[in-house]
Amino acid sequence: MTDHSHPARSSTPPLGVRMAKGSAPWLVPACAAAGAALLAARRSRAGKAIAVPTVGLAAGMAWFFRDPERVPADGRVVSSADGVVQSIDTQADGRTRIAVFMNPLNVHVNRAPTAGTVVRREHRSGGFRPAFDKDSERNERVIWTFETEIGEITVVQIAGAMVRRIVPYLAEGQKAEKGQRIGLIRFGSRVDVYLPPGIAPAVEVGQKVRAGETRLDRD
């Protein structure tokens, strides 16, 4: 299946791209260490040797926590995460679950699948198994329930092996626009979107998707 949901884009983030809200505890120390290492590099060879991996780490952190602007795709429901569709499953209640696996190179800011109101936001503690592992069903997660014009839509942010926190951006009772940022998952993870009964998925397993820019529902 060919993905025509968005045009080809450069893999390099544009100058001036914003950093994700909630990234400071990781990004600030990394950048401070890189600055100190660059100063040390001017004084000695040992400093130069240290500067290379330290600056590389800071650059990697900046890449991971990038938060580019997105223009929502047409359609009723858009992807909440960047990544690859890991599975599509029909639930007993008629809903369809679309699971998207996010690797460390993906943008990790998640977005509202459609316009609606956050009627429930539930945090569940758990483990930190790899997000592609079946045991990840017991991982720490944040479960969002949106009341929308097409029915109730659930989004589940699932922590991965390296994750130690999910950072929500919205509270219960708040309204969200389609494609609006709802939260950040630190490091590799998974996001599930549950389509209401009667709405067929427009994506397939193995397809790459982008948060806010790839349509999930079929006419």
Side-chain angles (χ1 to χ4, degrees):
M1 175 177 177
T2 302
D3 181 11
H4 297 294
S5 56
H6 53 77
R9 291 173 172 82
S10 169
S11 60
T12 303
L15 295 177
V17 68
R18 63 185 283 175
M19 293 292 103
K21 178 183 176 183
S23 63
W26 293 79
L27 190 58
V28 171
C31 290
L38 288 173
L39 290 175
R42 297 180 178 181
R43 303 189 184 100
S44 67
R45 291 183 178 178
K48 291 180 181 179
I50 295 173
V52 173
T54 306
V55 171
L57 175 63
M61 287 288 184
W63 175 261
F64 177 85
F65 287 118
R66 68 198 187 280
D67 183 11
E69 296 296 334
R70 297 282 172 85
V71 177
D74 294 332
R76 295 169 294 180
V77 186
V78 296
S79 178
S80 285
D82 284 25
V84 175
V85 178
Q86 183 181 36
S87 62
I88 300 174
D89 304 299
T90 302
Q91 307 297 295
D93 59 7
R95 295 182 301 167
T96 300
R97 181 183 68 174
I98 301 175
V100 175
F101 173 70
M102 305 163 64
N103 69 44
L105 298 180
N106 293 130
V107 173
H108 274 58
V109 175
N110 304 138
R111 295 174 179 266
T114 192
T117 301
V118 180
V119 294
R120 189 177 184 189
R121 193 193 79 192
E122 178 186 0
H123 174 268
R124 291 186 185 175
S125 300
F128 295 95
R129 298 289 299 172
F132 52 81
D133 194 314
K134 289 185 178 180
D135 287 338
S136 66
E137 296 298 331
R138 295 192 290 270
N139 279 12
E140 178 177 356
R141 63 194 55 216
V142 171
I143 304 170
W144 300 82
T145 304
F146 294 90
E147 186 62 46
T148 79
E149 290 184 353
I150 59 173
E152 205 170 75
I153 294 183
T154 299
V155 176
V156 185
Q157 295 175 292
I158 303 172
M162 298 173 61
V163 177
R164 291 298 178 269
R165 191 179 177 193
I166 299 171
V167 184
Y169 293 167
L170 301 178
E172 290 183 358
Q174 283 191 264
K175 294 184 181 296
E177 297 299 323
K178 183 172 69 173
Q180 181 177 337
R181 299 169 177 87
I182 63 170
L184 167 73
I185 311 180
R186 293 175 179 161
F187 305 104
S189 42
R190 194 180 100 204
V191 175
D192 296 348
V193 174
Y194 288 77
L195 301 179
I199 296 182
V203 293
E204 61 183 18
V205 174
Q207 181 178 337
K208 292 183 179 180
V209 296
R210 289 167 63 96
E213 293 187 340
T214 301
R215 180 177 180 178
L216 293 185
D217 69 301
R218 188 185 304 280
D219 289 327

